[in-house]
Structures are given as structure tokens and as C-alpha cells.
Amino acid sequence: MGAVLRLMQYLADPALSLDELAVARNVLERNLWDLLVLPLAYDQTAPKGFLLATKLATSIFGASDYALRLFPLICSLAALIAFWRVALRIFDGAGALVA
């Protein structure tokens, strides 16, 4: 259910928020070196790994909202699997299912 909801939101392609737009401009307008070494413009901060993954996605798939949101989508799907595995270790039966 969680994966379906995440994919539906991703495929609906909602407009980027102001913070997403500011990070997107940094990713799209800078080369990789400047992106990782210089402070981001527009008072933004982001982890270097996130910037690297987003720059890679936009380099491969182009400058689209889908490419900009691909890494967060993959991370959220991986988090679902990780959470499920942790819930199975902590809870049993219905508790794991509810979690």
C-alpha cells in the first residue's frame, strides 16, 4: 500500500515547492564540482550524497521533475522495506502488520 501511494504521488507529477525549485536550480545550473564544493545558492543546504544522486539522475534522464524526484522515490521505497524488516524483528504477528 505504501509503495502504491508513493508511486501514485510520483506519477501525478505535482508542482515543485519553492525549496525544491531552489535545490533544482542549484543542481541544474552548476557542474558537479561546484555543486559539491561551493555553498548552495538561495540559502539552501542539502547532503552531498543527495546532490550527487540528483545530479546523476538529471544527467541521465534530463532536467525533468521526474528525474529530480527519482532519488527521493527510491529512498522512500527502500525505507518501506527497511521499516518492514525492523517491524518483523520487534513485533510478532499483527503488531508487525499494523506497523
Side-chain angles (χ1 to χ4, degrees), residues 7-83:
L7 289 169
M8 285 175 52
Q9 180 69 18
Y10 178 77
L11 295 174
D13 194 25
L16 294 173
S17 70
L18 288 177
D19 283 334
E20 288 176 314
L21 285 170
V23 172
R25 286 196 62 186
N26 278 289
V27 168
L28 298 175
E29 293 175 354
R30 295 178 177 214
N31 63 42
L32 183 59
W33 178 258
D34 289 344
L35 187 63
L36 297 177
V37 174
L38 300 176
L40 297 179
Y42 317 111
D43 294 324
Q44 295 297 304
T45 59
K48 302 298 183 198
F50 171 79
L51 294 172
L52 177 65
T54 304
K55 185 69 172 180
L56 179 65
T58 57
S59 296
I60 294 170
F61 300 112
S64 71
D65 292 357
Y66 290 114
L68 289 165
R69 289 184 170 142
L70 181 61
F71 182 64
L73 173 70
I74 292 168
C75 289
S76 72
L77 294 173
L80 280 175
I81 294 167
F83 183 80

